[in-house]
Amino acid sequence: MNSQRWIGVILILIGGLMLLHQLDLVYLTGDRLIAIISLLVGAAMLRKSIDHPERKGLLGGSFFTLFAISLFIFDFSFRPFARPLFLGNLFIVLAVSNLIYFLFSGMSKSLNIFMFFFFGAIGGTMIAVYYDLIDVWELDEVVSTYWPVILIVIGLLIIIDGMTSHRKKRLEERNES
């Protein structure tokens, strides 16, 4: 099924759910509707990435799918849904999506592994602060002291990516001649 048909199917499903809500047959909150839309979009993107040799759509598809699943879990587990917990969850989902993309795209982009650690650190910290596992003031001291490490790591990843792409170009040129 091409992407145009998938969009049509997604719109029909969303319209049907909204009609059922209007007729009071299904109760949809804003969180549930966003979760359903995210799940449908994520599934369509994941389906597209399976057929694509470079796995285009895998990062977005895994993000939307994991985000939808986490919204469903939080919808049944926590009420009200606290903003720090939501934002921490969002960053954790971004981290895991980057890890999935890194693993399934041939481990070619080291930026994705950096984003995994970066977003994971932000999301994990927000959730740890929410549950009083770490103190905000201790975190402030650590971040203000060691933030230049992020610049060093980004610089190293850029160099590694450049060297990797340069080697690939050399191998392709040798294979062609």
Side-chain angles (χ1 to χ4, degrees), residues 47-65:
R47 170 71 177 99
K48 180 181 174 186
S49 73
I50 290 171
D51 294 336
H52 202 281
E54 295 175 11
R55 301 291 183 239
K56 294 211 180 214
L58 180 63
L59 181 64
S62 60
F63 169 75
F64 283 114
T65 304

Side-chain angles (χ1 to χ4, degrees), residues 8-58:
V9 169
I10 289 172
L11 289 174
I12 289 169
L13 289 172
I14 292 170
L17 282 171
M18 294 178 94
L19 179 64
L20 291 173
H21 175 73
Q22 293 289 8
L23 298 173
D24 290 328
L25 297 173
V26 173
Y27 178 68
L28 288 177
T29 62
D31 296 346
R32 288 183 187 160
L33 185 62
I34 290 172
I36 290 168
I37 292 171
S38 293
L39 186 62
L40 293 172
V41 169
M45 291 178 84
L46 285 174
R47 170 71 177 99
K48 180 181 174 186
S49 73
I50 290 171
D51 294 336
H52 202 281
E54 295 175 11
R55 301 291 183 239
K56 294 211 180 214
L58 180 63

Side-chain angles (χ1 to χ4, degrees), residues 60 81 99 122 133:
F81 195 29
L99 180 63
I122 292 172
L133 298 174

